Amino acid sequence: MWLIDSSIGRKLIMSITGVFLVLFLLFHSLMNIVVIISPEGYNMICEFLGANWYAMIATSILAAGFVIHILYALFLTFQNMRARGAVKYALKKNQKEVEWTSQNMFILGTIVFGFLALHLYNFWFKMQFVELSGHGDVSKAADGAYWVSQLFSSWIYCLIYIVWLSALWLHLTHGVWSALQSLGLNNKTWLPRVKTISNIISTIVILMFMSIPIYYLLGFGSGI
Amino acid sequence: MAKKKETTEVEETKIDARIPEGPLAEKWSNYKDHQKLVNPSNKRRLDIIVVGTGLAGASAAASMAEMGFNVLNFCIQDSPRRAHSIAAQGGINAAKNYPNDGDSVYRLFYDTIKGGDYRAREANVYRLAEVSNGIIDQCVAQGVPFAREYGGLLDNRSFGGAQVSRTFYAKGQTGQQLLLGAYSALSRQIGKGAVKLYSRYEMLDVVIIEGRARGIIARNLVTGKVERFFAHAVVVGSGGYGNTFFLSTNAMASNGSAAIQMYKKGAYFANPAYAQIHPTCIPVHGEFQSKLTLMSESLRNDGRIWVPKKKEDAEAIRAGKKKATDLSEDERDYYLERRYPAFGNLVPRDVASRAAKERCDAGFGVGNTGLAVYLDFSEAINRLGESVIRARYGNLFQMYEKIVDDNPYRTPMMIYPAIHYCMGGIWVDYELQTSVKGLFCIGEANFSDHGANRLGASALMQGLADGYFILPYTIQNYLADQIQVPRLSTDLPEFDEAEKAVNDKIKKLMSIQGKKSVDSIHRELGLIMWDFVGMGRNKAGLEHALEKIKEVRKEFWSNVYIPGKEVDLNNELEKALRLADFIEIGELMARDALMREESCGGHFREEYQTPEGEALRNDEDFSFASCWKFKGEGEEPELLKEALEYEFIHRQQRNYKS
Amino acid sequence: MEKNINVTLKIWRQVGPKEKGKFETYKLDNVSTDSSFLEMMDVLNERLISERKVPIAFDHDCREGICGMCSLYINGHPHGPDGEITTCQLHMRNFKDGQTIVIEPWRSAAFPIIRDLMVDRGAFDKIIQAGGYVSINTGGVPDANSIPISKVDADEAMDAASCIGCGACAAACKNSSAMLFVAAKVSQLALLPQGKVEAAHRAKAMVAKMDELGFGNCTNTGACEAECPKNVSISHIARLNREFLSAKFKD
């Protein structure tokens, strides 16, 4: 199967899952921003994305996307380490054109993944999971705004999220254009343009996410 | 062969180039129409060894494998793509007449003969011009990215020694692109198993069985093991011997050892004195220098060569008190334009080189050594703009800047002649077969086609002509009679003997354990060659050189030190084996130059020049190719002559003035 | 201006592919800043020979930046710290008096060490043998001008074709990926009508061979382009991806 056997096939999988996850993030961040504008509206979205069949299918696909992306990342990283050989360079420097993020995607990905577990515990576990399993406080399962204000009332959590989102931002600045490059959607003229567009997309997504902890950190969200 | 001492007189040994009958333009077609061919099922049973993977070797190996022969291909580098053909910059000639400027096969033939100062074989050169167009077609079909016009058709530029634009090019990397084309064709055959590649192998002898070349002895350069290989025919395309001079534009590993091995097994070494000094190289700058870098001749299309008019200015520049840009137009001597108004800066290489030497010897040279002249682009930059010049020569300018640390867009380049190419080489007949049956020699390694001087962009043409279009035909005329010969065992006594001789030589070298490194002795040889067998030669100097070379040989065989082990990777041993042969070649060059009492092309004897300082040929006495025959170690070689008869061209003194 | 400097060299020495290697330190005085890096190495080797020691093995040949034979990882960079050149074109004026220079071989599982600084890059040849050509025999080809090719395409093909096969891309890549090398050839031939005919087969065959030989996966770090002595662009990698993916989807 060439999607497993060939390096470009594997990269195709990384790119497609990556692009899919970016689209998810875009959707997620658009949704989140609502909590600032209208907590009621936000809760309507939470209700809509509860334990419904369509939301469940979407969640499953999303989870599969994550799992495949992570498994392939492990697979590729392992192969790449083996290709590098047993003896490492004693001295290795990078030219300034080489982005730091591009060399550390696996580390950034691991950080993102670690915080993701925390994030799932704080939200998904208390919301969709409660609805599904019936355990816990079902009345608050769709009250996203409550959980958001609850969590971000702690400035530590605000900071944790800001750090996490920064790592995600770095991951995306390389990831987005890299996915397009791996899909072959690039050429000499478009290379710098694709990079710029990717940076803009990742920055918008992350700023939308980050506006929430910042909003709470600055005390605007305390009223809820 | 070498063991048989022949006592016949010089005049009696007739050298027959086996040129086909008929009018010049029909010789090659006649030959092809009547030559013997080998049928496909027999081709599979015939092995051919090809030594070298440059333009000639790679194209020959690939073409013969495509035909169905079983090919064994050897190269000393780690990959066939490293052969020094890759370094050719400027371009490749062909008589396509795409620019509609009056070119034709005849004109390319004529220019090549004239450029070679009427010392080449007419029939060979005509054939070369004839097949030149096919080379361009072949390379384009392989995906060689030649430069193109906006209309999508191929672009041409002009080169020295021609009044038409017939040079096809790929930026300043034409040799690279052509070699990679041949390398890709070769790689395709290696992938198919039709060619077996032996990289990091060096040929150390040719094996002769019953008077025919039947294999080689080669050393695996990684393990140091000496191995034997059989073939029905052996083809050598090992390049030129310019490194005899130590400093040359050749690659570090380029050598003349295969030529000497063939010579010692009975192949004649022809015209060794004809070595080309390229006019546009970066000048020597220090004693640590390991090689010289060529700046493409194409630079002379837009660059103007000059030195100061006044000696005081030249002295001030040498002392660092003045800069080139300080001198006004009136204070500059564009000596090529002055001496050769018709061709100007585009005179042939030998003429341009000698003119530079003449100016420097007269005290007008620049640079801190005084051994340099200016190559100035300011006029072209003003006329065409820097961006045009950058597009044409950007990579060359960058190369110059990296080496010299000077920006040629602002200040003129400094250049000086350097040894670049050897027109001389192993004698071959019309079929590219040496005087040993079954032993063929192609590309720069043979002596054919360029006479006493090679025109720019003709080396690539000759290498590929030999490899793609000539040898694959002519070798069949030989192999057709060999189809009954089985694959012989490499345990035959001839193989034993050849391998033993090689091992003995290696043991002898390793056992000397003297005080001098190989390179230090090579440098001594190089200095003797440059001073006495270089651009200006004379009787006394050449006789002196012969004496000095004897001393170098003695020093080498008694005082060289080679570290490391015999059967192991050992770079110093490799270099020593090559140097042993460079010493032989140096002596042959000096001997040939001394014998040839005339000036022609790259061979300039100071005693024989016109009052204006131009080369003075002597067609009466020296209209022949000198073929040196090995007579045994320590014996003087015998001179045989292949008379050059000009049936179709009327010889005249070369004139690039009007 | 020319001057002389003193340098300390930390050079990797290793007898064979299986043996363990280590750094040796050499001090070299009075090195002319006008000499090339390899000339400096020559001087060191001459000294070692005069001391009856075994000289350092390193690959080199044309010494004008085109044959691709020279390698060396110098102070953390393939072909040294200076840009757009090979090791043989690197000059000592790029180093300071008293500087320590670390010299290592190309390191990659696909480039086993032969000795000291010499590595086996035969893998690159094998990739070309798998498909880096146009399948035509000698003779019987159409006239060179029978198919016009746009100057833009020809120039871009030339940019890709300027690859010298030195291996700096795979040596510099943290994944030891050979994608830039493969892409240069695939892209050159895909851009030209002569090579377009079998472009799909070529891309598949060359990538399969590259993977088989143990090179890593490209993660678009761009280190290859940044270190490439011929400045081959990673946009060719995008074209390779395109060629490969479209070939696979067509199957």
Side-chain angles (χ1 to χ4, degrees):
Chain A
M1 178 58 178
W2 67 277
L3 293 175
I4 297 169
D5 295 341
S6 80
S7 58
I8 298 181
R10 290 188 287 268
K11 290 294 297 171
L12 175 72
I13 298 292
M14 275 311 269
S15 308
I16 290 176
T17 52
V19 168
F20 170 69
L21 294 175
V22 171
L23 290 176
F24 159 72
L25 288 175
L26 191 64
F27 168 72
H28 191 336
S29 61
L30 281 170
M31 197 183 81
N32 282 11
I33 221 74
V34 178
V35 82
I36 295 178
I37 304 159
S38 157
E40 293 77 21
Y42 181 70
N43 279 356
M44 278 168 72
I45 298 172
C46 294
E47 192 77 55
F48 179 68
L49 293 177
N52 312 303
W53 64 269
Y54 46 86
M56 282 320 298
I57 292 173
T59 309
S60 313
I61 296 173
L62 180 63
F66 265 108
V67 170
I68 295 171
H69 197 74
I70 291 163
L71 285 180
Y72 265 74
L74 284 166
F75 186 22
L76 289 167
T77 306
F78 168 72
Q79 279 195 323
N80 290 347
M81 280 165 69
R82 204 174 52 180
R84 195 87 284 288
V87 186
K88 306 281 175 252
Y89 288 112
L91 184 57
K92 178 156 172 46
K93 293 177 189 164
N94 282 315
Q95 299 284 9
K96 58 183 181 304
E97 299 93 317
V98 180
E99 307 154 9
W100 178 87
T101 53
S102 73
Q103 305 266 330
N104 295 284
M105 286 298 275
F106 188 75
I107 293 168
L108 290 169
T110 310
I111 295 172
V112 170
F113 179 67
F115 281 106
L116 180 69
L118 187 68
H119 179 64
L120 287 177
Y121 170 75
N122 282 327
F123 290 97
W124 179 77
F125 184 70
K126 291 170 184 170
M127 296 170 74
Q128 198 183 46
F129 183 75
V130 167
E131 276 190 47
L132 281 176
S133 62
H135 297 292
D137 191 352
V138 183
S139 67
K140 289 214 162 57
D143 193 355
Y146 165 77
W147 293 113
V148 171
S149 66
Q150 180 81 359
L151 189 70
F152 290 136
S153 61
S154 152
W155 63 271
I156 296 173
Y157 261 112
C158 290
L159 282 185
I160 286 175
Y161 268 73
I162 290 171
V163 170
W164 177 38
L165 291 167
S166 305
L168 183 59
W169 179 69
L170 291 171
H171 195 79
L172 291 185
T173 51
H174 178 70
V176 176
W177 84 262
S178 178
L180 296 173
Q181 167 88 359
S182 293
L183 292 168
L185 304 172
N186 216 340
N187 65 30
K188 212 164 190 170
T189 324
W190 274 87
L191 190 65
R193 295 179 193 170
V194 164
K195 281 192 179 181
T196 311
I197 292 169
S198 306
N199 282 341
I200 292 171
I201 291 173
S202 12
T203 309
I204 289 175
V205 167
I206 295 300
L207 279 181
M208 286 200 289
F209 275 127
M210 237 188 225
S211 61
I212 296 154
I214 292 175
Y215 179 80
Y216 282 96
L217 196 59
L218 296 177
F220 296 118
S222 52
I224 300 172
Chain B
M1 293 275 298
K3 278 182 282 177
K4 281 188 213 149
K5 287 270 167 65
E6 288 174 31
T7 48
T8 45
E9 302 301 309
V10 173
E11 260 61 50
E12 278 176 30
T13 315
K14 180 101 173 95
I15 292 204
D16 182 7
R18 304 205 292 160
I19 294 165
E21 294 299 316
L24 190 60
E26 289 166 26
K27 284 180 192 291
W28 180 231
S29 336
N30 279 346
Y31 176 87
K32 286 193 291 183
D33 290 346
H34 298 107
Q35 70 161 118
K36 285 177 269 186
L37 296 173
V38 181
N39 88 31
S41 64
N42 283 332
K43 281 180 185 148
R44 281 194 293 277
R45 294 196 277 136
L46 292 170
D47 297 347
I48 304 172
I49 283 174
V50 178
V51 178
T53 58
L55 287 175
S59 58
S63 302
M64 293 189 299
E66 286 162 8
M67 289 174 161
F69 291 107
N70 187 36
V71 178
L72 293 82
N73 197 187
F74 293 78
C75 69
I76 51 174
Q77 295 90 349
D78 68 336
S79 162
R81 66 183 295 155
R82 317 271 188 228
H84 199 55
S85 304
I86 205 152
Q89 298 166 350
I92 176 165
N93 286 333
K96 283 281 194 187
N97 193 29
Y98 285 154
N100 194 29
D101 55 2
D103 201 6
S104 64
V105 167
Y106 183 85
R107 202 176 278 276
L108 174 55
F109 153 71
Y110 180 81
D111 285 347
T112 308
I113 287 274
K114 178 188 173 192
D117 220 351
Y118 306 97
R119 287 291 175 262
R121 220 184 259 156
E122 274 184 331
N124 280 52
V125 178
Y126 195 89
R127 174 178 65 184
L128 175 66
E130 231 179 314
V131 302
S132 67
N133 291 342
I135 297 170
I136 304 301
D137 299 340
Q138 186 65 32
C139 295
V140 167
Q142 285 170 344
V144 170
F146 281 120
R148 286 178 184 267
E149 308 263 22
Y150 279 101
L153 302 183
L154 293 162
D155 191 18
N156 287 111
R157 58 165 70 146
S158 52
F159 245 62
Q163 285 175 315
V164 294
S165 291
R166 61 161 73 101
T167 305
F168 295 81
Y169 65 100
K171 276 195 176 169
Q173 291 136 270
T174 319
Q176 180 199 25
Q177 293 311 313
L178 296 177
L179 182 66
L180 293 183
Y183 163 73
S184 71
L186 174 65
S187 295
R188 178 169 159 245
Q189 297 306 316
I190 297 169
K192 283 182 170 178
V195 174
K196 174 102 178 73
L197 176 71
Y198 295 88
S199 57
R200 294 199 197 259
Y201 268 80
E202 183 158 8
M203 170 182 173
L204 291 183
D205 207 356
V206 49
V207 179
I208 312 282
I209 298 176
E210 291 168 358
R212 290 171 192 270
R214 290 295 188 205
I216 63 166
I217 303 293
R219 185 166 175 270
N220 179 330
L221 299 181
V222 175
T223 63
K225 228 174 133 265
V226 173
E227 300 173 24
R228 309 167 178 197
F229 300 91
F230 163 82
H232 292 87
V234 175
V235 179
V236 176
S238 57
Y241 48 87
N243 270 346
T244 310
F245 286 73
F246 187 70
L247 287 182
S248 83
T249 65
N250 286 183
M252 303 302 286
S254 298
N255 66 80
S257 290
I260 284 295
Q261 290 148 24
M262 291 188 280
Y263 164 70
K264 290 193 171 171
K265 287 287 165 93
Y268 308 141
F269 205 126
N271 299 333
Y274 293 161
Q276 182 169 76
I277 316 256
H278 196 289
T280 50
C281 300
I282 298 178
V284 178
H285 57 262
E287 46 186 84
F288 45 78
Q289 190 140 3
S290 59
K291 80 152 263 159
L292 295 169
T293 303
L294 179 101
M295 291 278 107
S296 169
E297 173 166 324
S298 62
L299 292 170
R300 288 198 275 146
N301 269 308
D302 288 303
R304 298 176 72 197
I305 295 174
W306 62 275
V307 291
K309 246 183 204 161
K310 286 182 285 196
K311 256 188 200 163
E312 305 88 81
D313 286 336
E315 278 156 16
I317 287 172
R318 289 203 287 272
K321 286 178 199 149
K322 265 190 180 177
K323 289 200 295 268
T325 42
D326 294 340
L327 299 195
S328 69
E329 270 310 285
D330 297 345
E331 292 168 312
R332 302 173 177 196
D333 174 17
Y334 296 94
Y335 57 88
L336 287 177
E337 296 169 27
R338 168 169 61 78
R339 283 176 67 177
Y340 309 100
F343 280 69
N345 292 298
L346 286 174
V347 290
R349 292 174 173 176
D350 56 332
V351 178
S353 293
R354 273 200 299 279
K357 178 175 155 59
E358 186 274 330
R359 281 294 85 188
C360 292
D361 288 352
F364 295 93
V366 295
N368 48 8
T369 57
L371 292 176
V373 299
Y374 289 125
L375 177 61
D376 196 337
F377 289 88
S378 56
E379 191 257 348
I381 290 172
N382 288 337
R383 178 163 46 91
L384 302 164
E386 193 175 311
S387 60
V388 174
I389 296 299
R390 194 178 294 276
R392 280 186 196 167
Y393 312 110
N395 59 330
L396 298 171
F397 278 37
Q398 185 239 18
M399 186 156 101
Y400 181 87
E401 189 168 354
K402 290 289 179 189
I403 295 172
V404 183
D405 201 23
D406 207 9
N407 179 353
Y409 293 100
R410 302 277 156 270
T411 53
M413 277 185 186
M414 282 194 285
I415 52 162
Y416 198 66
I419 283 283
H420 171 58
Y421 184 89
C422 299
M423 284 74 68
I426 293 300
W427 181 88
V428 288
D429 62 15
Y430 190 73
E431 296 184 324
L432 305 180
Q433 186 165 214
T434 68
S435 39
V436 176
K437 285 203 169 54
L439 182 60
F440 295 78
C441 191
I442 55 176
E444 188 182 348
N446 74 25
F447 91 116
S448 71
D449 302 0
H450 303 299
N453 175 53
R454 177 176 68 73
L455 289 183
S458 282
L460 303 185
M461 173 172 69
Q462 185 227 333
L464 290 179
D466 287 0
Y468 282 133
F469 296 116
I470 301 172
L471 181 80
Y473 281 90
T474 59
I475 200 168
Q476 292 190 63
N477 205 32
Y478 171 76
L479 288 172
D481 297 334
Q482 305 297 311
I483 52 177
Q484 304 293 345
V485 179
R487 291 196 165 107
L488 300 177
S489 157
T490 51
D491 294 333
L492 289 172
E494 287 87 348
F495 276 98
D496 287 341
E497 208 178 306
E499 190 190 290
K500 185 174 180 301
V502 164
N503 278 326
D504 287 351
K505 187 175 178 184
I506 291 174
K507 281 201 175 66
K508 188 172 173 196
L509 283 169
M510 293 300 295
S511 69
I512 297 169
Q513 296 289 306
K515 288 201 169 60
K516 281 190 171 168
S517 72
V518 178
D519 277 356
S520 66
I521 301 177
H522 198 167
R523 268 177 211 277
E524 286 172 35
L525 175 69
L527 279 178
I528 298 167
M529 297 303 292
W530 183 247
D531 287 346
F532 303 107
V533 198
M535 262 189 290
R537 303 161 171 176
N538 59 55
K539 187 164 186 284
L542 290 164
E543 280 167 351
H544 179 67
L546 280 169
E547 287 307 307
K548 296 291 270 184
I549 293 169
K550 279 199 181 75
E551 287 168 27
V552 170
R553 176 188 285 119
K554 199 163 159 243
E555 179 73 7
F556 174 75
W557 285 101
S558 61
N559 199 20
V560 73
Y561 171 65
I562 304 166
K565 286 184 286 221
E566 185 187 313
V567 187
D568 191 11
L569 187 152
N570 190 337
N571 290 143
E572 290 300 306
L573 174 60
E574 290 164 29
K575 288 197 288 188
L577 284 163
R578 292 171 201 151
L579 178 56
D581 296 326
F582 281 133
I583 295 171
E584 307 291 314
I585 294 174
E587 188 172 346
L588 271 176
M589 289 179 81
R591 194 181 291 280
D592 191 45
L594 184 61
M595 176 280 300
R596 192 166 281 280
E597 292 175 329
E598 64 163 349
S599 294
C600 59
H603 168 66
F604 191 76
R605 282 283 296 266
E606 283 157 359
E607 304 97 312
Y608 309 99
Q609 51 180 309
T610 64
E612 300 96 57
E614 305 298 339
L616 188 61
R617 255 186 8 248
N618 177 353
D619 290 340
E620 195 76 18
D621 301 319
F622 291 96
S623 180
F624 60 82
S626 51
C627 308
W628 298 91
K629 185 178 177 186
F630 183 68
K631 303 294 282 181
E633 296 292 348
E635 308 273 331
E636 292 213 349
E638 179 186 345
L639 173 67
L640 308 175
K641 297 173 182 177
E642 182 200 334
L644 295 170
E645 275 140 29
Y646 278 80
E647 275 184 73
F648 304 96
I649 278 189
H650 173 63
R651 276 186 285 210
Q652 45 195 296
Q653 199 201 331
R654 285 196 304 172
N655 177 3
Y656 293 102
K657 290 175 191 290
S658 55
Chain C
M1 259 353 253
E2 186 189 354
K3 59 174 187 195
N4 286 342
I5 57 172
N6 303 335
V7 289
T8 304
L9 305 164
K10 274 183 73 183
I11 300 177
W12 186 261
R13 307 280 327 238
Q14 182 172 340
V15 178
K18 300 273 183 278
E19 280 83 349
K20 235 175 112 67
K22 65 173 195 319
F23 280 103
E24 294 273 358
T25 305
Y26 305 91
K27 281 198 184 304
L28 200 59
D29 293 345
N30 289 319
V31 179
S32 162
T33 53
D34 266 358
S35 71
S36 75
F37 193 83
L38 293 185
E39 283 164 351
M40 180 276 292
M41 294 290 287
D42 291 341
V43 171
L44 174 63
N45 271 346
E46 281 288 296
R47 193 184 85 194
L48 291 175
I49 292 167
S50 74
E51 292 165 358
R52 308 239 143 190
K53 291 178 184 152
V54 177
I56 298 147
F58 60 93
D59 272 323
H60 63 105
D61 199 23
C62 78
R63 296 213 178 182
E64 48 188 275
I66 194 75
C67 76
M69 185 99 175
C70 62
S71 51
L72 306 192
Y73 219 80
I74 303 163
N75 273 356
H77 295 281
H79 297 302
D82 199 3
E84 287 182 52
I85 52 160
T86 57
T87 292
C88 65
Q89 293 172 297
L90 177 66
H91 276 68
M92 291 307 291
R93 63 180 77 93
N94 288 287
F95 299 93
K96 289 187 210 68
D97 192 25
Q99 195 172 346
T100 297
I101 307 174
V102 181
I103 309 170
E104 299 176 72
W106 276 184
R107 295 198 189 281
S108 160
F111 294 157
I113 291 179
I114 295 173
R115 174 158 310 164
D116 297 343
L117 304 170
M118 226 180 216
V119 299
D120 179 1
R121 285 166 290 188
F124 272 14
D125 285 326
K126 293 199 181 87
I127 294 174
I128 298 290
Q129 286 156 18
Y133 46 75
V134 177
S135 297
I136 49 142
N137 286 353
T138 303
V141 298
D143 183 86
N145 257 350
S146 60
I147 310 172
I149 301 173
S150 95
K151 185 170 165 53
V152 179
D153 286 344
D155 286 351
E156 197 172 346
M158 180 62 220
D159 285 345
S162 59
C163 166
I164 55 172
C166 64
C169 46
C173 176
K174 78 178 184 66
N175 312 321
S176 190
S177 163
M179 280 288 271
L180 192 64
F181 170 77
V182 177
K185 188 46 75 182
V186 167
S187 184
Q188 175 207 340
L189 295 175
L191 279 160
L192 301 170
Q194 290 82 3
K196 192 73 202 162
V197 182
E198 53 184 329
H201 171 259
R202 178 180 307 114
K204 286 186 289 185
M206 290 180 74
V207 169
K209 184 53 86 175
M210 168 185 84
D211 292 340
E212 179 197 318
L213 292 167
F215 290 101
N217 305 281
C218 172
T219 59
N220 306 318
T221 68
C224 50
E225 179 186 306
E227 299 289 7
C228 175
K230 298 295 157 184
N231 226 356
V232 175
S233 161
I234 57 169
S235 64
H236 297 296
I237 295 182
R239 183 172 289 105
L240 166 61
N241 290 330
R242 210 150 59 226
E243 292 288 334
F244 180 86
L245 293 174
S246 68
K248 282 292 186 189
F249 283 119
K250 270 185 205 142
D251 285 351

